[in-house]
Amino acid sequence: MTTRARPRRGDLALGSIAVLALGLYALFIVVPVIMSAWKSLTDENPLNPQTHFVGLDNYAEMMHDSALSDSLTFTLLLTAAVTIVANTAGIGFAMLLNKTSLSYRVMRTVAFLPQVLSGVIVAFLWRYILAQDGLLNDVLTSTGITDGPITWLGTPHLAMFSVGLVATWVLTGFTTVVHLAALQSIPVELYQAARVDGAGRRQQFRHITFPMVAPGTTISVTISMITMLKLYDIIAVLTSGGPSDSTQSTALYIIKCAFTDNRFGYASTVAMLFLALSAIIALSVTGLLRRREENL
Amino acid sequence: MRPTHLIAACVAAGLTLLTGCSAASNDGGKGGSDLTHLTYLTFETPNLNARFWNTSITEAEKQVPGVSVKKIVAAGTDRDAYAKQLLASGQFPDLLQSITPSTFAQNGLLKPYDKNWVNANFLMPMGNAYKGEVYVPPTNSQIIPEVFYNKKLFAQAGITAPPKTWSEFMAVCAKLKAAGITPIELGGGDPFSASMPLVGILSADVLGKNPNWLQDRYAGKAKFTDANVEAAVAKYRTMVKEGYFQNGALGVKYADSITNFTSGKAAMYMMGSWFLGSVPKDHTDDFGAFLTPTDDGSLVVPFSVGGSMAISAKTADPAKATAFAQAWSTNPANLKALIEGDGALPMLKNKTLADYKVNVSQVYKDSYTYVTDQNTKVPAFGWVTNDDAMPSGLNDAFYSASQALFTSDDIHGQLAKLDAAWDKAAK
């Protein structure tokens, strides 16, 4: 006859914490998603207590919603552009700042600073820089680079670029820190051995640095993408989605559907689509990067 | 503690917090007092700042014994959206300042005022009535927009009098531009501000000829794509193409547009009469105002009546909420602040400007005569909150079209979009 081992006090505590964590996750993530999925099948209006089940009507409407497809296109383009630029810049800055002296430690803190500031503050700051009579136009005109001020926030294409610029500025701090941490985990001996074998800087980067920071890149790219897909605060303050909806992200569009157009049901439908799309993108890209890590 | 107990504790704490968020409450029986607590949604601007609201609330509280009012400040300029967010989270305020009553009243969320009280106190008792009921006391009015102008810059360009007809207006713009002066300032970076010229033109040309156009649009008898509306919008497009707005106008925020105009960077500024509160006190005589000109020079006043607070139909103490709202709405001291700071045009019965003991500019007095004179008043397009209010959510589409027409020649396409948005919103 076998006897079951008595659970230790530490295991019980860990188990309690795990149950609590799962409970909170279910309460604040799973339940709202299920509620949203249900609402997406209704015509819920925040002002009207009468809610009706409408089946897949909202999903059918979504297929022909040009404002939604415009916002999705903008969001996906912005996500791709900012993720690529911010991560490339992050690797570059990380290599530049991968030193131990005090001045480099200070520079690292400065590089990380945008990530610490709230999106609203960042957007206010950049609004002053990019305004018609803002700092950037002052510099450009006073140095004779341009004849007059450039409408950074008032022309559709330039406004898109401006939003991308600000988002990249914020994210680069994060990608720099992640890649810096990855760089610092590489044993110095590897570089010493490579130098003995006659490898130059470029070969060292290709065969040691790049493969060794790959796990950091996977994390950094995934989090950058998720951050960009749900971008709301910076755009809301910087351009309010304008001019003429050119910078309306999908997150902004969902809020507009819910609180301007009074359509909670339809907003939930768009949110469900966006959730599915974000999950597919995040899982696909993470899978690709993981496979790349294994092949390196 | 067992995990189940922990979760139960968390849920209980959450529910306690939620119940603590409900609106009106009465202390009676708990703390031994009969104090009714009400929540009041307000907003803050540089002119109507926290001090103004705090003082006005304290004064009204004094007139309603047993009431304590907690101020909630709207997070942005869209007070309707914020009220909806509060409603969705179970925190709909007992009192709501300057919201669009039709949006909420049609779903039974607001309590109407007693008509006898409204009739006894206001010049235009039904000025902002919705389906025969008054949900916001008509304490003051606005003209949206007026065309404010800088007299010195007009003189500099050799312009001796403000234009009366549309062709004169275009000639004035051309003359200013030829003199190297920016004809019109536009804060196009803020969507509502970008729409002001279009609000003026549509009010003058479309509503001036058919004041019932908005009702006709609801009935499907009129469309944005009708020839007369397209012709009016084409005027706005011409102004853009002729370069009568400053370079990069869509990149200029509303607040900056005020500073630009008052500091002499442009000769004219199309804005609601609330701009009167921003006319620089040290050189008020430099500024004048006229209405958006019509083709034949007839005067059309784009008018909106509103001003005070709506009462939630869900408030736990309707009597006290109403008493507070009435006390606040008829306090001349509040009107004084609104007149001087926000350019409000008062609508209290049996009172002249002198009764408010205000110090206002000549341009304010001139604007106020548009309110007191007999003339053609039409609902300010997209701004009124009565039966002529656009369907909830359409303002955003209208603002977006105003910005799009800055860069697009497709007037018909933009107006067709507005028709589609209207039909969807009015369903």
Side-chain angles (χ1 to χ4, degrees):
Chain A
M1 193 173 137
T2 56
T3 54
R4 257 192 292 181
R6 279 170 69 94
R8 287 179 300 174
R9 186 175 291 180
D11 293 339
L12 278 175
L14 280 175
S16 304
I17 291 168
V19 170
L20 177 64
L22 283 172
L24 290 173
Y25 182 79
L27 192 64
F28 293 111
I29 306 288
V30 179
V31 172
V33 168
I34 293 169
M35 283 170 68
S36 187
W38 164 247
K39 281 175 198 273
S40 74
L41 304 172
T42 70
D43 65 353
E44 184 170 328
N45 174 336
L47 303 174
N48 190 346
Q50 300 286 322
T51 298
H52 305 99
F53 179 77
V54 295
L56 296 175
D57 284 4
N58 289 333
Y59 287 88
E61 181 184 338
M62 199 170 63
M63 296 300 135
H64 305 100
D65 185 345
S66 59
L68 170 62
S69 55
D70 288 349
S71 77
L72 276 174
T73 307
F74 169 67
T75 305
L76 295 176
L77 282 175
L78 188 74
T79 300
V82 173
T83 301
I84 292 168
V85 176
N87 280 280
T88 309
I91 294 174
F93 280 126
M95 291 181 68
L96 283 173
L97 299 174
N98 190 19
K99 310 269 180 5
T100 49
S101 67
L102 179 66
S103 57
Y104 281 95
R105 285 206 297 272
V106 171
M107 279 193 276
R108 268 184 246 158
T109 308
V110 171
F112 191 63
L113 198 62
Q115 192 65 37
V116 180
L117 299 173
S118 88
V120 173
I121 290 172
V122 165
F124 268 115
L125 185 71
W126 276 91
R127 223 168 72 177
Y128 284 107
I129 295 172
L130 298 169
Q132 201 66 6
D133 54 355
L135 186 67
L136 184 58
N137 276 328
D138 275 356
V139 171
L140 291 174
T141 47
S142 62
T143 52
I145 295 171
T146 57
D147 292 336
I150 294 171
T151 313
W152 297 105
L153 300 173
T155 314
H157 286 98
L158 279 178
M160 290 181 192
F161 170 79
S162 301
V163 168
L165 176 77
V166 177
T168 304
W169 184 75
V170 174
L171 262 185
T172 301
F174 168 74
T175 59
T176 302
V177 169
V178 172
H179 285 105
L180 198 57
L183 277 178
Q184 288 177 348
S185 69
I186 302 172
V188 183
E189 293 77 15
L190 282 177
Y191 289 105
Q192 288 168 344
R195 277 197 292 274
V196 170
D197 290 342
R201 279 177 178 272
R202 189 176 293 178
Q203 284 172 306
Q204 285 176 39
F205 177 79
R206 189 177 160 195
H207 297 292
I208 300 173
T209 310
F210 196 57
M212 294 297 279
V213 298
T217 305
T218 303
I219 294 167
S220 176
V221 166
T222 307
I223 293 178
S224 304
M225 272 189 344
I226 293 168
T227 305
M228 289 310 300
L229 282 169
K230 62 185 176 116
L231 191 67
Y232 174 80
D233 48 3
I234 289 175
I235 300 177
V237 176
L238 201 62
T239 64
S240 315
S244 56
D245 298 338
S246 59
T247 58
Q248 183 164 259
S249 67
T250 308
L252 215 60
Y253 183 66
I254 291 170
I255 297 289
K256 180 178 170 290
C257 287
F259 293 108
T260 303
D261 300 343
N262 308 329
R263 302 186 69 198
F264 269 17
Y266 187 65
S268 300
T269 313
V270 178
M272 292 312 294
L273 167 83
F274 197 51
L275 176 70
L277 202 64
S278 302
I280 291 167
I281 293 170
L283 289 172
S284 309
V285 173
T286 311
L288 275 173
L289 291 172
R290 289 266 181 243
R291 272 204 293 281
R292 187 189 72 110
E293 281 175 40
E294 287 159 12
N295 294 333
L296 285 171
Chain B
M1 184 185 271
R2 282 186 197 172
T4 46
H5 290 174
L6 262 176
I7 293 167
C10 287
V11 172
L15 288 173
T16 309
L17 277 173
L18 283 173
T19 48
C21 287
S22 62
S25 57
N26 199 305
D27 273 351
K30 283 182 188 171
S33 73
D34 264 339
L35 204 58
T36 296
H37 296 279
L38 301 173
T39 52
Y40 176 21
L41 175 64
T42 66
F43 58 94
E44 285 177 8
T45 67
N47 292 331
L48 302 180
N49 54 20
R51 195 176 161 194
F52 163 74
W53 293 109
N54 294 341
T55 309
S56 67
I57 288 170
T58 306
E59 288 304 312
E61 278 175 337
K62 280 182 198 165
Q63 294 185 48
V64 187
V67 79
S68 166
V69 173
K70 184 187 167 199
K71 180 182 73 172
I72 301 170
V73 181
T77 53
D78 192 342
R79 294 180 285 272
D80 288 347
Y82 193 63
K84 287 177 216 166
Q85 286 176 33
L86 292 172
L87 175 68
S89 57
Q91 302 172 81
F92 195 56
D94 299 293
L95 301 156
L96 304 98
Q97 181 74 28
S98 303
I99 53 154
T100 307
S102 56
T103 300
F104 299 91
Q106 64 187 337
N107 292 294
L109 291 164
L110 301 181
K111 174 185 174 296
Y113 282 83
D114 172 47
K115 280 187 196 145
N116 290 330
W117 175 79
V118 177
N119 283 325
N121 285 285
F122 303 103
L123 283 176
M124 289 178 67
M126 302 301 277
N128 63 345
Y130 175 70
K131 293 193 192 290
E133 297 289 352
V134 177
Y135 294 98
V136 170
T139 56
N140 60 69
S141 56
Q142 300 277 358
I143 298 166
I144 313 170
E146 288 186 88
V147 187
F148 296 96
Y149 69 101
N150 183 319
K151 291 178 182 172
K152 282 187 177 168
L153 292 178
F154 265 40
Q156 204 176 308
I159 301 160
T160 51
K164 286 192 169 65
T165 64
W166 184 260
S167 58
E168 284 177 16
F169 181 50
M170 288 295 97
V172 161
C173 289
K175 218 167 178 178
L176 286 162
K177 194 180 170 195
I181 298 166
T182 300
I184 308 169
E185 177 70 31
L186 183 77
D190 277 307
F192 89 87
S193 177
S195 75
M196 277 299 159
L198 206 48
V199 172
I201 295 168
L202 288 172
S203 298
D205 278 17
V206 178
L207 301 181
K209 285 174 185 149
N210 175 14
N212 293 320
W213 188 89
L214 287 151
Q215 289 307 315
D216 286 352
R217 182 63 192 82
Y218 272 108
K221 291 185 211 159
K223 293 264 179 201
F224 281 97
T225 45
D226 289 347
N228 61 329
V229 184
E230 288 203 11
V233 175
K235 285 181 171 179
Y236 169 62
R237 183 70 192 135
T238 303
M239 290 166 72
V240 175
K241 285 169 92 170
E242 292 293 336
Y244 292 157
F245 298 106
Q246 81 274 33
N247 284 333
L250 290 192
V252 177
K253 284 282 175 187
Y254 165 61
D256 296 330
S257 69
I258 295 174
T259 315
N260 289 346
F261 175 63
T262 53
S263 62
K265 286 186 181 167
M268 292 183 278
Y269 186 45
M270 298 176 84
M271 188 46 65
S273 51
W274 54 81
F275 169 75
L276 291 162
S278 302
V279 171
K281 302 280 183 285
D282 53 346
H283 52 288
T284 53
D285 291 344
D286 288 353
F287 297 92
F290 57 93
L291 297 173
T292 306
T294 52
D295 288 332
D296 60 5
S298 57
L299 208 62
V300 177
V301 185
F303 196 58
S304 176
V305 180
S308 183
M309 70 191 80
I311 304 167
S312 165
K314 296 179 172 186
T315 183
D317 196 335
K320 290 240 168 91
T322 304
F324 176 85
Q326 290 179 340
W328 195 99
S329 303
T330 50
N331 184 352
N334 293 344
L335 264 299
K336 178 177 162 43
L338 286 162
I339 292 165
E340 290 182 339
D342 213 37
L345 307 164
M347 303 290 283
L348 287 185
K349 229 176 205 175
N350 306 320
K351 289 221 182 305
T352 64
L353 265 185
D355 294 329
Y356 296 101
K357 299 183 176 62
V358 286
N359 180 20
V360 291
S361 59
Q362 187 56 45
V363 63
Y364 178 94
K365 289 174 188 163
D366 293 344
S367 299
Y368 192 46
T369 59
Y370 289 130
V371 176
T372 52
D373 283 358
Q374 287 292 322
N375 48 32
T376 306
K377 292 183 179 71
V378 299
F381 201 96
W383 282 88
V384 289
T385 57
N386 55 20
D387 291 322
D388 287 323
M390 293 203 288
S392 181
L394 201 80
N395 282 46
D396 259 31
F398 181 62
Y399 299 153
S400 178
S402 306
Q403 287 185 321
L405 285 165
F406 222 82
T407 50
S408 168
D409 271 321
D410 185 13
I411 293 170
H412 182 80
Q414 288 300 327
L415 294 179
K417 262 194 196 176
L418 275 182
D419 272 326
W422 181 296
D423 293 339
K424 202 164 147 185
K427 249 200 283 186

